[in-house]
Amino acid sequence: AQTVTQSQPEMSVQEAETVTLSCTYDTSESDYYLFWYKQPPSRQMILVIRQEAYKQQNATENRFSVNFQKAAKSFSLKISDSQLGDAAMYFCAYKGGATNKLIFGTGTLLAVQP
Amino acid sequence: NAGVTQTPKFRILKIGQSMTLQCTQDMNHNYMYWYRQDPGMGLKLIYYSVGAGITDKGEVPNGYNVSRSTTEDFPLRLELAAPSQTSVYFCASSYSADRADEQFFGPGTRLTVL
């Protein structure tokens, strides 16, 4: 079965600095997608970025980028120029395999210090 | 578009009571999902539906029932509420089950069973 692990329950970053959130996953599949979702205090889950396993190029969305290491099964999220509005819980998620269901990690709570 | 809407936002139930969590989407999505989020955990799939009249169990279906009579609505029924069902419940939808497809989430319902 596929699993997603986020080993950092909490992280903190200074405003305007860069922070990297870690995510590792376990799968025997070769075709899958990985996602980062943001959950602010409002609870609304918002898709931040997605990465297809077959693409070697790391995905980028404005200040958000990923470091996808397929062989190491690692999928970290880098937030550049951190803003107060980036403070949230961030979930890493995997989708693939026979069921194609979203499997979530336990989340990383990011605090942004002014 | 309102996206995915859920009612109620908050609810307190007594042990043994029943209730229905409502979920509606206006994006004409075929796939709909119910998740629960326990403190310090990621989201776990309760039930999902691939279209009107078709539902299937997810990872944690015990104690819940669903129905899908229309494309727009996907209610989740709790029978004989138990303290273990205290959680935040999220409804989501997607156009298809394709790996690349984004799931759009509702704002969640915080349920407490006392």
Short mmCIF file of all heavy atoms in Angstrom, two decimals, chain B residues 33-66:
data_model
loop_
_atom_site.label_atom_id
_atom_site.label_comp_id
_atom_site.label_asym_id
_atom_site.label_seq_id
_atom_site.Cartn_x
_atom_site.Cartn_y
_atom_site.Cartn_z
N TYR B 33 -16.39 12.92 -3.06
CA TYR B 33 -15.67 12.21 -2.01
C TYR B 33 -16.04 12.78 -0.63
O TYR B 33 -16.32 13.97 -0.51
CB TYR B 33 -14.16 12.39 -2.17
CG TYR B 33 -13.63 12.16 -3.56
CD1 TYR B 33 -13.67 13.17 -4.53
CD2 TYR B 33 -13.05 10.94 -3.93
CE1 TYR B 33 -13.19 12.97 -5.81
CE2 TYR B 33 -12.56 10.73 -5.20
CZ TYR B 33 -12.62 11.75 -6.13
OH TYR B 33 -12.13 11.54 -7.41
N TRP B 34 -15.99 11.92 0.36
CA TRP B 34 -16.08 12.36 1.75
C TRP B 34 -14.83 11.91 2.48
O TRP B 34 -14.43 10.74 2.41
CB TRP B 34 -17.30 11.76 2.45
CG TRP B 34 -18.54 12.55 2.26
CD1 TRP B 34 -19.61 12.24 1.47
CD2 TRP B 34 -18.87 13.79 2.89
NE1 TRP B 34 -20.57 13.22 1.56
CE2 TRP B 34 -20.14 14.18 2.43
CE3 TRP B 34 -18.22 14.62 3.80
CZ2 TRP B 34 -20.77 15.35 2.85
CZ3 TRP B 34 -18.82 15.78 4.21
CH2 TRP B 34 -20.10 16.14 3.75
N TYR B 35 -14.21 12.88 3.19
CA TYR B 35 -13.03 12.61 4.00
C TYR B 35 -13.32 13.02 5.44
O TYR B 35 -14.14 13.89 5.71
CB TYR B 35 -11.84 13.46 3.53
CG TYR B 35 -11.31 13.14 2.15
CD1 TYR B 35 -11.80 13.77 1.03
CD2 TYR B 35 -10.27 12.22 1.99
CE1 TYR B 35 -11.30 13.50 -0.23
CE2 TYR B 35 -9.76 11.94 0.73
CZ TYR B 35 -10.28 12.60 -0.37
OH TYR B 35 -9.77 12.32 -1.63
N ARG B 36 -12.55 12.44 6.36
CA ARG B 36 -12.53 12.94 7.72
C ARG B 36 -11.08 13.28 8.08
O ARG B 36 -10.14 12.62 7.62
CB ARG B 36 -13.12 11.94 8.71
CG ARG B 36 -12.44 10.59 8.79
CD ARG B 36 -13.10 9.71 9.87
NE ARG B 36 -12.72 10.16 11.22
CZ ARG B 36 -13.29 9.69 12.33
NH1 ARG B 36 -14.23 8.78 12.27
NH2 ARG B 36 -12.90 10.14 13.50
N GLN B 37 -10.95 14.32 8.90
CA GLN B 37 -9.64 14.77 9.34
C GLN B 37 -9.62 14.80 10.85
O GLN B 37 -10.26 15.65 11.47
CB GLN B 37 -9.31 16.16 8.77
CG GLN B 37 -7.92 16.63 9.16
CD GLN B 37 -7.63 18.03 8.65
OE1 GLN B 37 -8.53 18.81 8.35
NE2 GLN B 37 -6.35 18.37 8.54
N ASP B 38 -8.86 13.90 11.44
CA ASP B 38 -8.70 13.86 12.89
C ASP B 38 -7.50 14.72 13.28
O ASP B 38 -6.59 14.92 12.47
CB ASP B 38 -8.52 12.42 13.35
CG ASP B 38 -9.73 11.56 13.02
OD1 ASP B 38 -10.85 12.10 13.05
OD2 ASP B 38 -9.56 10.37 12.73
N PRO B 39 -7.46 15.21 14.52
CA PRO B 39 -6.37 16.09 14.95
C PRO B 39 -5.00 15.46 14.71
O PRO B 39 -4.76 14.30 15.08
CB PRO B 39 -6.65 16.28 16.44
CG PRO B 39 -8.12 16.07 16.58
CD PRO B 39 -8.48 15.02 15.58
N GLY B 40 -4.11 16.22 14.09
CA GLY B 40 -2.74 15.74 13.86
C GLY B 40 -2.62 14.70 12.76
O GLY B 40 -1.56 14.09 12.60
N MET B 41 -3.70 14.49 12.03
CA MET B 41 -3.69 13.46 10.99
C MET B 41 -4.05 14.08 9.65
O MET B 41 -4.64 15.16 9.57
CB MET B 41 -4.70 12.36 11.32
CG MET B 41 -4.49 11.71 12.67
SD MET B 41 -2.96 10.78 12.73
CE MET B 41 -3.37 9.42 11.66
N GLY B 42 -3.72 13.36 8.59
CA GLY B 42 -4.16 13.77 7.27
C GLY B 42 -5.60 13.35 7.04
O GLY B 42 -6.24 12.78 7.92
N LEU B 43 -6.09 13.65 5.87
CA LEU B 43 -7.47 13.30 5.54
C LEU B 43 -7.56 11.82 5.16
O LEU B 43 -6.69 11.30 4.45
CB LEU B 43 -7.97 14.14 4.36
CG LEU B 43 -8.42 15.56 4.69
CD1 LEU B 43 -7.28 16.43 5.12
CD2 LEU B 43 -9.13 16.17 3.48
N LYS B 44 -8.61 11.18 5.63
CA LYS B 44 -8.84 9.78 5.27
C LYS B 44 -10.18 9.66 4.54
O LYS B 44 -11.17 10.25 4.97
CB LYS B 44 -8.83 8.90 6.52
CG LYS B 44 -7.43 8.82 7.16
CD LYS B 44 -7.37 7.74 8.21
CE LYS B 44 -6.01 7.71 8.89
NZ LYS B 44 -4.93 7.38 7.93
N LEU B 45 -10.19 8.87 3.49
CA LEU B 45 -11.37 8.74 2.64
C LEU B 45 -12.41 7.84 3.28
O LEU B 45 -12.12 6.70 3.68
CB LEU B 45 -10.95 8.17 1.28
CG LEU B 45 -12.02 8.04 0.22
CD1 LEU B 45 -12.57 9.41 -0.18
CD2 LEU B 45 -11.48 7.31 -1.00
N ILE B 46 -13.65 8.33 3.38
CA ILE B 46 -14.75 7.58 3.97
C ILE B 46 -15.52 6.85 2.88
O ILE B 46 -15.66 5.62 2.91
CB ILE B 46 -15.70 8.51 4.74
CG1 ILE B 46 -14.94 9.32 5.80
CG2 ILE B 46 -16.81 7.69 5.41
CD1 ILE B 46 -15.80 10.41 6.44
N TYR B 47 -16.06 7.60 1.95
CA TYR B 47 -16.81 7.07 0.82
C TYR B 47 -16.54 7.95 -0.39
O TYR B 47 -16.14 9.10 -0.27
CB TYR B 47 -18.32 7.10 1.10
CG TYR B 47 -18.90 5.88 1.75
CD1 TYR B 47 -19.09 5.83 3.13
CD2 TYR B 47 -19.27 4.76 1.00
CE1 TYR B 47 -19.63 4.70 3.74
CE2 TYR B 47 -19.81 3.63 1.60
CZ TYR B 47 -19.99 3.61 2.97
OH TYR B 47 -20.52 2.49 3.57
N TYR B 48 -16.79 7.38 -1.56
CA TYR B 48 -16.71 8.18 -2.77
C TYR B 48 -17.79 7.72 -3.75
O TYR B 48 -18.40 6.66 -3.59
CB TYR B 48 -15.32 8.11 -3.41
CG TYR B 48 -14.94 6.75 -3.95
CD1 TYR B 48 -15.05 6.46 -5.31
CD2 TYR B 48 -14.44 5.77 -3.12
CE1 TYR B 48 -14.68 5.23 -5.81
CE2 TYR B 48 -14.07 4.53 -3.61
CZ TYR B 48 -14.19 4.26 -4.94
OH TYR B 48 -13.83 3.03 -5.43
N SER B 49 -18.01 8.56 -4.75
CA SER B 49 -19.02 8.26 -5.76
C SER B 49 -18.49 8.63 -7.14
O SER B 49 -17.88 9.69 -7.31
CB SER B 49 -20.30 9.05 -5.47
OG SER B 49 -21.20 8.96 -6.55
N VAL B 50 -18.72 7.77 -8.11
CA VAL B 50 -18.24 8.02 -9.47
C VAL B 50 -19.34 8.57 -10.36
O VAL B 50 -19.12 8.84 -11.54
CB VAL B 50 -17.62 6.77 -10.09
CG1 VAL B 50 -16.51 6.24 -9.21
CG2 VAL B 50 -18.67 5.69 -10.32
N GLY B 51 -20.53 8.75 -9.81
CA GLY B 51 -21.64 9.31 -10.56
C GLY B 51 -22.93 9.03 -9.83
O GLY B 51 -22.95 8.27 -8.85
N ALA B 52 -24.01 9.63 -10.31
CA ALA B 52 -25.32 9.44 -9.66
C ALA B 52 -25.65 7.96 -9.60
O ALA B 52 -25.54 7.24 -10.59
CB ALA B 52 -26.39 10.20 -10.42
N GLY B 53 -26.02 7.51 -8.41
CA GLY B 53 -26.42 6.13 -8.19
C GLY B 53 -25.29 5.16 -7.92
O GLY B 53 -25.54 3.97 -7.66
N ILE B 54 -24.05 5.63 -7.93
CA ILE B 54 -22.91 4.73 -7.76
C ILE B 54 -22.01 5.25 -6.63
O ILE B 54 -21.48 6.36 -6.71
CB ILE B 54 -22.06 4.64 -9.04
CG1 ILE B 54 -22.94 4.26 -10.24
CG2 ILE B 54 -20.95 3.61 -8.87
CD1 ILE B 54 -22.24 4.38 -11.56
N THR B 55 -21.89 4.43 -5.58
CA THR B 55 -21.02 4.81 -4.47
C THR B 55 -20.15 3.62 -4.09
O THR B 55 -20.48 2.47 -4.40
CB THR B 55 -21.84 5.25 -3.24
OG1 THR B 55 -22.63 4.15 -2.78
CG2 THR B 55 -22.75 6.42 -3.57
N ASP B 56 -19.07 3.91 -3.38
CA ASP B 56 -18.19 2.83 -2.94
C ASP B 56 -17.46 3.26 -1.68
O ASP B 56 -17.31 4.46 -1.40
CB ASP B 56 -17.18 2.47 -4.03
CG ASP B 56 -16.69 1.02 -3.89
OD1 ASP B 56 -16.98 0.38 -2.84
OD2 ASP B 56 -16.01 0.53 -4.80
N LYS B 57 -16.99 2.26 -0.92
CA LYS B 57 -16.34 2.51 0.35
C LYS B 57 -14.91 2.98 0.14
O LYS B 57 -14.22 2.56 -0.78
CB LYS B 57 -16.33 1.24 1.20
CG LYS B 57 -17.69 0.76 1.61
CD LYS B 57 -17.62 -0.55 2.39
CE LYS B 57 -19.00 -1.02 2.78
NZ LYS B 57 -18.95 -2.31 3.50
N GLY B 58 -14.48 3.84 1.06
CA GLY B 58 -13.09 4.25 1.11
C GLY B 58 -12.37 3.51 2.21
O GLY B 58 -12.67 2.35 2.51
N GLU B 59 -11.45 4.20 2.85
CA GLU B 59 -10.59 3.58 3.86
C GLU B 59 -11.28 3.39 5.21
O GLU B 59 -11.02 2.41 5.92
CB GLU B 59 -9.35 4.47 4.05
CG GLU B 59 -8.27 3.91 4.94
CD GLU B 59 -7.09 4.86 5.07
OE1 GLU B 59 -7.11 5.95 4.43
OE2 GLU B 59 -6.15 4.55 5.81
N VAL B 60 -12.19 4.31 5.58
CA VAL B 60 -12.80 4.29 6.92
C VAL B 60 -14.32 4.44 6.83
O VAL B 60 -14.90 5.41 7.33
CB VAL B 60 -12.19 5.37 7.84
CG1 VAL B 60 -10.77 5.03 8.23
CG2 VAL B 60 -12.23 6.76 7.16
N PRO B 61 -15.06 3.48 6.25
CA PRO B 61 -16.49 3.66 6.01
C PRO B 61 -17.41 3.30 7.19
O PRO B 61 -18.60 3.66 7.17
CB PRO B 61 -16.75 2.70 4.86
CG PRO B 61 -15.77 1.58 5.10
CD PRO B 61 -14.55 2.25 5.68
N ASN B 62 -16.89 2.60 8.19
CA ASN B 62 -17.77 2.09 9.25
C ASN B 62 -18.44 3.21 10.02
O ASN B 62 -17.81 4.16 10.47
CB ASN B 62 -16.96 1.21 10.21
CG ASN B 62 -16.52 -0.08 9.56
OD1 ASN B 62 -17.04 -0.46 8.50
ND2 ASN B 62 -15.57 -0.76 10.15
N GLY B 63 -19.75 3.08 10.20
CA GLY B 63 -20.53 4.07 10.94
C GLY B 63 -21.14 5.15 10.06
O GLY B 63 -21.81 6.05 10.58
N TYR B 64 -20.93 5.05 8.76
CA TYR B 64 -21.41 6.07 7.82
C TYR B 64 -22.17 5.42 6.66
O TYR B 64 -21.95 4.27 6.33
CB TYR B 64 -20.24 6.86 7.23
CG TYR B 64 -19.30 7.46 8.23
CD1 TYR B 64 -18.15 6.78 8.60
CD2 TYR B 64 -19.57 8.69 8.81
CE1 TYR B 64 -17.27 7.31 9.54
CE2 TYR B 64 -18.69 9.25 9.73
CZ TYR B 64 -17.55 8.55 10.10
OH TYR B 64 -16.69 9.08 11.01
N ASN B 65 -23.06 6.22 6.07
CA ASN B 65 -23.73 5.81 4.85
C ASN B 65 -23.82 7.00 3.90
O ASN B 65 -23.85 8.15 4.34
CB ASN B 65 -25.15 5.30 5.13
CG ASN B 65 -25.15 3.89 5.65
OD1 ASN B 65 -24.67 2.97 4.99
ND2 ASN B 65 -25.65 3.70 6.86
N VAL B 66 -23.84 6.71 2.61
CA VAL B 66 -23.96 7.77 1.61
C VAL B 66 -24.99 7.37 0.57
O VAL B 66 -25.36 6.20 0.45
CB VAL B 66 -22.61 8.06 0.91
CG1 VAL B 66 -21.59 8.64 1.87
CG2 VAL B 66 -22.08 6.80 0.23
#
